[in-house]
Amino acid sequence: MNECLTIGEPLVVFAAEEADVPLAAAKHFTKYLAGAELNVAVGLSRLGHSVEYITHLGEDPNGIFIRQQLTAAGIGSDNVTTTSRYPTGIEFKARVTHGDPNTYYLRAGSAAAHFDPDAIDRVDLAGVKLAHITGIFPAASASTLAATKRLMKRLITNHIMITFDPNLRPALWPDQQTMTSTINELAKSATIVLPGAAEGKILVGSDDPETIAHFYLDQSPQTQLVIVKVGKQGAYLLGRDVPGQLLPSFPAAHIVDTVGAGDGFALGVISALLEGRSPAEAASRGNAIGALAIQSAGDNTGYPTRSQLDKFMKTSLNETG
Ligand code: KDG
């Protein structure tokens, strides 16, 4: 089995070429692979880590595209099942020169949303060191929520580290209260929680990083570390044995597209931890990959190779002293 595992809904994203026009007016699109957890898997594999992806794909051209991309990226797909009954999810993404782009999804009732929770019992966990879970997959349907809970239970029983990114998608939840209580409940099973400060405002009632970190550490003995993404300021880190500290962000030469930055952050944290780095080094690498992610149009196309990462971190740290 691979050293890392993740479960999620893969998407084909059509990213508009024309900048600063509404999606309705865009005529030219480039096709990319997307999906928060899959973005992390793509980045881990690019950095030389072995990773397994669990999902359910439609037997349609988009499902075929995703499978080809998984193979090309070297991601383990023994736990990728298919169905001819439901379609693979699709996302359309606008292009903007400032801020976050509008997105439009065709994912309700997708193949991934019909993931069978019983499939979790067949996942081989031997050798898995870390599993990455986000709040997107459990939002897709009752069965994906059940599957996520079942997987987290198995991971805890097998003493496997869990990183959890709330990745709030309000449109996928029936209401904000359900979203908040379910996400916070899932976070209780995580070893490391990776919320954004703006998400903290919704989930915890405060965007103060220290308050958010204390909330997640206090609510569960399972949680050892919280790293709060604080946008341009970087990331705030607090753990049971780790004093609170703010790790500064890395400069981005230019911003092309902000989507995928949060997954890039998770990728940096996870890859560094798998390599035995300290929590502070992990958060710093998260900041670095977040900065690289926003310099590229695809959701995961900006994630670095090992040499690109080393060069970027060295150059940026030298520049900032
Ligand atoms: O975090 C990036 C993701 O938002 C993107 O790749 C698509 O999974 C996706 C989603 O739900 O938005």
Side-chain angles (χ1 to χ4, degrees), residues 9 11 34-36 39 91 105 107 136 167 169 259-260 263 299:
E9 170 164 29
L11 298 169
N39 292 337
E91 174 187 359
Y105 297 95
R107 71 195 312 183
I136 301 178
N167 238 327
R169 294 286 177 278
V259 180
D263 303 329
D299 292 10

Side-chain angles (χ1 to χ4, degrees), residues 38 45 68-69 94 104 117 130 144 166 170 180 207 226 229 237 251 255 261 270 272 287 292 300 320:
L38 182 50
S45 191
Q68 286 167 345
Q69 296 290 309
Y104 175 73
L130 186 150
T144 58
T180 301
D207 56 8
V226 181
K229 292 161 273 183
L237 172 80
I255 300 177
I270 293 166
N287 284 336
L292 285 165
N300 54 55
T320 51

